[in-house]
Amino acid sequence: MPLSPHSVTAAPAAPLRPRWLALLVTGAELLSSLCMFVTGIMMVILIAIFGWLVFGRYVLNNTPTWVEQMSLMLIVWITFLGAAVGVWRNTHLSIGFLRDALPERPREVMTIAAELLLGVFGAFMAWYGVTLVTATGRRIVPMLGVSEGWRSAPLAICGALIVLFSLVGLLTRAADLSARRV
């Protein structure tokens, strides 16, 4: 299992953290792994339904009409769950040469500011995601017969996960900084 930068065993000299924080980090790791597992299953389903689309179109001469709507919904879920995991594992594209060129204190300030801004962005995503789910919940997705809210739910879930992962990241940084100062 890939480790996040927040994991206790990610760095050889990770400072000792309070038990509650270690449990929180472990919970976030497990949640992140669960999201990756779910996105992996969704990718397999996506590939399978596209295989069915090709088979139906060229072999059976009967194109399944639901595949487009289902694939759009799966791609939205895969993208947003993967984005939340990327926040936790710190694997999103970033331009760190400016931050890395700074001395330790300003580098930490920039890292904490970025984590705070990510949390705020996640909160907006969660809020407006819930608003969108509520607004579109009564509409039905054509060809699938499910609520349009299912297409908007990943936005709210991803936002909530980003807030959680950012909060745990900030708590971890704060604990690590205070342990280094002692």
Side-chain angles (χ1 to χ4, degrees):
M1 171 169 62
L3 297 171
S4 75
H6 313 290
S7 177
V8 176
T9 57
L16 201 53
R17 296 180 182 145
R19 178 147 173 74
W20 65 268
L21 184 57
L23 288 171
L24 205 55
V25 169
T26 302
E29 274 299 332
L30 289 173
L31 192 55
S32 168
S33 295
L34 176 65
C35 288
M36 285 305 292
F37 179 74
V38 169
T39 57
I41 289 173
M42 288 180 175
M43 284 292 290
V44 169
I45 293 170
L46 187 65
I47 291 166
I49 66 172
F50 274 121
W52 178 250
L53 174 75
V54 170
F55 180 77
R57 180 177 292 160
Y58 295 108
V59 176
L60 302 177
N61 201 24
N62 184 11
T63 304
T65 54
W66 55 269
V67 170
E68 180 184 357
Q69 291 297 321
M70 182 65 148
S71 62
L72 287 172
M73 191 172 296
L74 284 171
I75 287 170
V76 169
W77 277 90
I78 291 166
T79 301
F80 280 106
L81 288 176
V85 171
V87 167
W88 175 249
R89 295 189 179 168
N90 201 21
T91 55
H92 283 290
L93 178 65
S94 67
I95 303 171
F97 70 88
L98 177 64
R99 182 191 63 223
D100 296 341
L102 294 173
E104 184 178 353
R105 172 101 58 205
R107 185 173 49 234
E108 278 296 326
V109 169
M110 281 185 77
T111 303
I112 290 169
E115 197 88 45
L116 280 169
L117 287 172
L118 260 172
V120 169
F121 178 73
F124 277 108
M125 282 178 66
W127 176 261
Y128 287 107
V130 168
T131 302
L132 197 56
V133 168
T134 305
T136 61
R138 293 189 177 189
R139 283 187 271 181
I140 301 298
V141 176
M143 304 296 168
L144 293 181
V146 297
S147 168
E148 186 75 39
W150 282 101
R151 203 182 314 227
S152 309
L155 180 65
I157 293 169
C158 175
L161 287 171
I162 287 174
V163 169
L164 174 72
F165 292 154
S166 295
L167 180 62
V168 174
L170 285 167
L171 291 170
T172 303
R173 285 196 195 291
D176 291 352
L177 283 172
S178 68
R180 273 191 271 167
R181 288 193 181 118
V182 173

